[in-house]
Amino acid sequence: MLSGPPGEYGRKVEIVEVPLIIYMKIKPDLAYLVGALRDGSVFYEKSSRNYIAVWYEEDKRWLKESISKRLNKLFGKPGWLLKYKQKHHRIRFSSKLVHNMLINEFDFISPQKYWSTPKIIKHANKDIIKNYIAGFFDAEGDISIKDKSLGFSQKNKESLKFIRNWLINNKIECSKIFIADKKSETNRFYISKINNLLIFRRLIPFEHPDKLHLLELLLQRT
């Protein structure tokens, strides 16, 4: 059952046959959440009989401001912010409707290394793709002051190919994709040079407070 403020979703309605993505239409906030799931999971929890989507992150500020607020805006509840081990937090969101949407409409596959770019993202407009990349970068991107670069890492190589090609088509030079860690089978590409970093900063609306700070610091020093 989906509930929300009057005028957005109307009164409580049970949706069975109509996919949620068709009901609400894809929005930039939803694309961001899907990108951020690159450090997350979607599963059925037998012990509690709940359908779960979860986002992980060390920085609970980002989970509260970027994930919880979007969940509340789109689906009428913010999820649960939990500390599950030292310096690690997660947002748990329980909803069969959202669980099924992420699997059926966004092609979510577990384990993550088999989850390629969702078809609906591949064919989306520029604003949707920018927000998807922003969520992806906030979850799995990194910035190195020492190497004067920013990077994307992921086990699924195709998901990196899609982002890399899109950035190149938008005038951002990127390195080739390479194996960053053989043991974990993690792939990576990076972006360097001041003009590329500046375009990335203007183009991609990422929000992670630490990454925003690091990129501004890097741009000041370059």
Side-chain angles (χ1 to χ4, degrees), residues 68-81:
S68 278
K69 285 188 176 180
R70 281 181 169 87
L71 289 170
N72 197 45
K73 178 181 177 181
L74 292 173
F75 308 118
K77 56 183 182 179
W80 293 273
L81 175 61

Side-chain angles (χ1 to χ4, degrees), residues 81-95:
L81 175 61
L82 304 165
K83 182 178 180 181
Y84 67 98
K85 60 182 180 179
Q86 189 65 27
K87 295 183 179 180
H88 286 78
H89 300 82
R90 63 186 175 186
I91 291 286
R92 280 172 57 95
F93 190 83
S94 176
S95 167

Side-chain angles (χ1 to χ4, degrees), residues 144-187:
S144 171
I145 298 294
K146 179 182 177 181
D147 296 331
K148 299 181 180 179
S149 65
L150 63 82
F152 288 78
S153 300
Q154 190 75 183
K155 290 184 179 181
N156 184 276
K157 189 174 182 179
E158 187 283 330
S159 67
L160 294 183
K161 283 183 177 179
F162 172 77
I163 292 175
R164 179 179 180 272
N165 290 339
W166 192 88
L167 293 174
I168 289 172
N169 289 334
N170 282 275
K171 313 301 182 185
I172 298 176
E173 296 175 2
C174 302
S175 76
K176 292 181 179 180
I177 297 172
F178 58 94
I179 296 289
D181 187 334
K182 290 183 179 180
K183 186 176 181 180
S184 65
E185 299 180 324
T186 299
N187 298 284

